[in-house]
Amino acid sequence: QVQLVESGGGLVQPGGSLRLSCAGSGAVFSIKAMGWYRQVPGKERELVAEITRGGRTRFADSVNGRFTISRDNENTVHLQMNSLKPEDTAVYYCLFTSSYRDYWGEGTQVTVSS
């Protein structure tokens, strides 16, 4: 089992920045990839960014060039969000993926508004 704790959400003005973090505990040795998804009411959860154990990254087209993803070690992943737009407003969820299952965080609200 893996437990995830997210932090860093909040309210920011358009053009501002936020940094989300997700710390995992438990069987993190089994994790192959870490990522962030987001969801707004009435829409499906969508991929924002992902980083594999080997360091390969991928981003949603809507955030490419504005967001970066990084990890400190095998149990902590960060999402640096710059040049935020109102359409980035959503609940952001951390995801750790193993060979057997996905582990989701509880979500953290990001609101971009003036």
Side-chain angles (χ1 to χ4, degrees):
Q1 291 292 324
V2 175
Q3 295 77 42
L4 303 179
V5 177
E6 299 154 338
S7 61
L11 172 65
V12 64
Q13 292 186 343
S17 298
L18 279 177
R19 180 177 167 92
L20 305 183
S21 297
C22 180
S25 60
V28 292
F29 58 86
S30 68
I31 299 305
K32 293 189 169 184
M34 307 172 181
W36 290 92
Y37 282 68
R38 67 187 181 188
Q39 189 170 24
V40 298
K43 292 190 176 182
E44 293 187 356
R45 197 170 293 187
E46 63 175 6
L47 171 73
V48 177
E50 180 184 72
I51 184 167
T52 67
R53 179 184 291 272
R56 185 175 301 175
T57 60
R58 62 175 176 143
F59 297 89
D61 289 343
S62 59
V63 307
N64 203 15
R66 299 187 296 122
F67 291 10
T68 58
I69 189 169
S70 62
R71 61 180 191 187
D72 290 339
N73 44 47
E74 65 179 0
N75 71 328
T76 306
V77 63
H78 307 285
L79 183 70
Q80 179 66 43
M81 305 185 293
N82 299 327
S83 302
L84 282 161
K85 304 176 181 180
E87 51 263 44
D88 294 317
T89 296
V91 178
Y92 284 70
Y93 296 90
C94 174
L95 169 67
F96 280 24
T97 301
S98 76
S99 298
Y100 311 106
R101 58 164 288 184
D102 294 337
Y103 299 91
W104 289 95
E106 293 187 353
T108 184
Q109 177 70 45
V110 171
T111 302
V112 184
S113 175
S114 55

